[in-house]
Amino acid sequence: ACRKDRKDEVFTHVQTAVTKAMRSPSTASFNIAKSDIKLVEDCLYKIWSFVDSQNGVGAIVRTPWTATVEYIPETDGWKLRKIDLNES
């Protein structure tokens, strides 16, 4: 079974995946305080958040994203099940 609170860990793990999926990752800025992280099943988390980054002309754009992540106790690791980055 999973420990109860892994919200900070799961956010850090997903933040890396979101950054890799972005068109302009070098300017990415995340805010865990304004994110919604829910334990939806034992060891399975769903995250709703956003990332701010600069677009091609230097304007800051806010991009919403969602992710579903599973904690694997046997390996003490994370498995990204799904990520949706709503870049326009």
Side-chain angles (χ1 to χ4, degrees), residues 36 65 76:
D36 189 11
W65 59 269
D76 192 32

Side-chain angles (χ1 to χ4, degrees), residues 31-62:
N31 188 336
I32 190 172
K34 293 187 178 179
S35 300
D36 189 11
I37 304 170
K38 301 262 192 243
L39 181 62
V40 292
E41 292 177 24
D42 192 34
C43 301
L44 188 66
Y45 290 84
K46 180 127 185 197
I47 304 158
W48 296 265
S49 193
F50 61 87
V51 58
D52 292 331
S53 62
Q54 287 184 339
N55 65 10
V57 294
I60 298 294
V61 215
R62 179 160 287 176

